[in-house]
Amino acid sequence: MKAHVYFVKTVVGVWLLDLFVVDVHSLSSSSSATVKATPSSVVPTLSLQECLQAGQQLHKEECDFGFQTYGRTSSSSKEDEDEATAASSLGSEKKHSSFSDDDFVEHSIPYPGPDDTLKVQSVFQSKAPLVSEQDCAELIQEARDKIAADLLNDQQLQQQQQQQQGGDITQQQQQQQQPTNSQLGEARVSTLPKGRDWLQKNAHSTLFPLLQDRFGVDATHLTLHDALIIGYGYFGDGGSRSQPIHRDSSLLSLNIALSEESSYSGGGTYFEGLGKTLHQARGHITCHPGGIMHAGHGITKGERWVMVLFVIDETVPQLARRCHQLGMMSSSSSSSSS
């Protein structure tokens, strides 16, 4: 039989609502086929068993990438002390897991999202900066330089493609091309040497222990499947100035304000369940379950830079979300071939 499933497509770490149809076969099916969890190999229809297998594989690949790129939080007390020392680069006296309720403002969400694996379903904002002004400035500059360099490479690549095709790229071809990170005003932290080094140290000394303290997860199981530095307004009126309402492709999300509030107008993060927009000063952190519906409130002037971290747990594969993701890939593949 066929079941209609509401899906949310992953685009640079967020979901956008769509509808797809997937064949649902009996779990007792003797089919032993496996589907590699990459867009290029997804077939037009997936059985439920295949979807679950592919979702598990995708989760494993994302965890492997995260642990390989950013390392793993150690439970060893000796290494914990070393990591706490490394936290001195953060602009706060808070060290490894030394957080309390007094350090945060908590916003309870009536309906936090489809994932019920978390013990706490709230939005937390740090009362004090956890990232120094110097670190914020250096992270912005490295991201700005990376975006500018990649934009130049994008232009050169487009010119090469035009020459190979003997003329201009058609409007249809342009519409089929997905925008690059640089064209969206984004830089992946995994491609930033200084930013990656900063995150390798501070994710384990401060950020993951913070999530453990607030949400009851085990920091040693956490990793990042993506980390972005986003420059809203970086291209002026022609660039990204907001984010639509969405859910994140993560178990937990961290938003670190890198810009001074005086450098832009508007901005903040709108949370549907709260019915309001939350703002944060430079170096402050907002964290929340990835399933909470939220949006990047538009800026009207200046530039707003943020670091967004998409956190996953190796023990929580979030198969419902991943099957939705694979279903959209299947739907897109089927539509493009028809």
Side-chain angles (χ1 to χ4, degrees):
M1 64 177 177
K2 290 190 175 182
H4 292 272
V5 183
Y6 283 99
F7 165 63
V8 206
K9 162 180 162 184
T10 310
V11 179
V12 196
V14 303
W15 296 4
L16 300 177
L17 192 62
D18 202 346
L19 178 69
F20 75 94
V21 179
V22 60
D23 283 336
V24 181
H25 297 168
S26 170
L27 282 174
S28 62
S29 171
S30 60
S31 172
S32 60
T34 59
V35 180
K36 184 175 177 56
T38 57
S40 60
S41 61
V42 172
V43 295
T45 58
L46 293 174
S47 71
L48 180 57
Q49 183 180 27
E50 290 170 334
C51 199
L52 293 172
Q53 291 173 339
Q56 290 279 12
Q57 179 63 21
L58 180 59
H59 180 67
K60 179 181 183 302
E61 290 175 359
E62 288 183 357
C63 288
D64 288 346
F65 168 81
F67 289 129
Q68 181 179 358
T69 305
Y70 299 106
R72 181 188 285 269
T73 301
S74 172
S75 59
S76 166
S77 59
K78 174 63 173 64
E79 292 185 11
D80 285 351
E81 293 174 1
D82 294 339
E83 290 171 347
T85 301
S88 60
S89 63
L90 295 174
S92 168
E93 295 181 354
K94 292 295 176 186
K95 296 298 189 294
H96 188 84
S97 67
S98 57
F99 296 102
S100 71
D101 291 343
D102 294 336
D103 297 320
F104 300 92
V105 176
E106 180 178 0
H107 307 271
S108 297
I109 302 290
Y111 175 66
D115 201 321
D116 61 356
T117 58
L118 295 170
K119 298 178 181 178
V120 179
Q121 302 277 7
S122 297
V123 178
F124 294 95
Q125 291 186 290
S126 64
K127 293 182 180 179
L130 297 179
V131 183
S132 69
E133 290 191 8
Q134 179 180 349
D135 284 346
C136 287
E138 291 178 353
L139 289 166
I140 289 175
Q141 189 58 54
E142 187 178 25
R144 187 189 297 273
D145 293 343
K146 174 64 173 174
I147 293 170
D150 284 352
L151 279 174
L152 181 59
N153 291 334
D154 291 342
Q155 293 172 356
Q156 293 174 344
L157 179 60
Q158 186 176 15
Q159 291 174 354
Q160 292 175 0
Q161 291 175 341
Q162 290 176 350
Q163 292 174 356
Q164 292 172 356
Q165 295 178 9
D168 294 336
I169 298 177
T170 66
Q171 183 177 0
Q172 182 179 4
Q173 289 173 324
Q174 289 179 341
Q175 292 175 346
Q176 291 175 347
Q177 291 178 344
Q178 294 293 327
T180 63
N181 285 112
S182 58
Q183 291 168 345
L184 294 170
E186 301 172 346
R188 275 197 158 82
V189 178
S190 60
T191 67
L192 306 176
K194 294 180 181 178
R196 184 174 62 248
D197 181 65
W198 181 91
L199 196 50
Q200 286 172 341
K201 294 176 182 177
N202 294 307
H204 306 295
S205 65
T206 301
L207 303 179
F208 289 170
L210 182 157
L211 295 177
Q212 176 173 294
D213 178 82
R214 294 294 90 192
F215 295 97
V217 295
D218 188 334
T220 64
H221 295 315
L222 301 181
T223 189
L224 298 168
H225 91 84
D226 207 356
L228 301 170
I229 296 179
I230 305 173
Y232 295 109
Y234 179 50
F235 302 133
D237 292 335
S240 175
R241 306 182 72 83
S242 64
Q243 283 276 2
I245 194 79
H246 63 273
R247 304 184 196 276
D248 290 339
S249 293
S250 64
L251 181 65
L252 293 164
S253 297
L254 282 159
N255 184 309
I256 304 173
L258 301 179
S259 296
E260 293 279 6
E261 287 186 286
S262 60
S263 64
Y264 60 89
S265 297
T269 305
Y270 172 79
F271 288 93
E272 186 178 69
L274 297 176
K276 64 180 180 179
T277 299
L278 302 182
H279 299 269
Q280 55 185 0
R282 188 178 206 179
H284 289 239
I285 291 177
T286 296
C287 53
H288 60 87
I292 289 179
M293 293 290 285
H294 62 288
H297 189 72
I299 63 169
T300 57
K301 183 177 66 175
E303 296 180 11
R304 175 186 175 228
W305 290 84
V306 297
M307 176 185 283
V308 184
L309 308 180
F310 301 99
V311 182
I312 55 177
D313 185 319
E314 65 177 338
T315 67
V316 184
Q318 295 182 277
L319 291 179
R321 172 177 69 79
R322 295 185 183 282
C323 286
H324 288 165
Q325 177 181 347
L326 291 165
M328 184 56 182
M329 293 176 182
S330 171
S331 177
S332 297
S333 174
S334 178
S335 297
S336 62
S337 62
S338 60

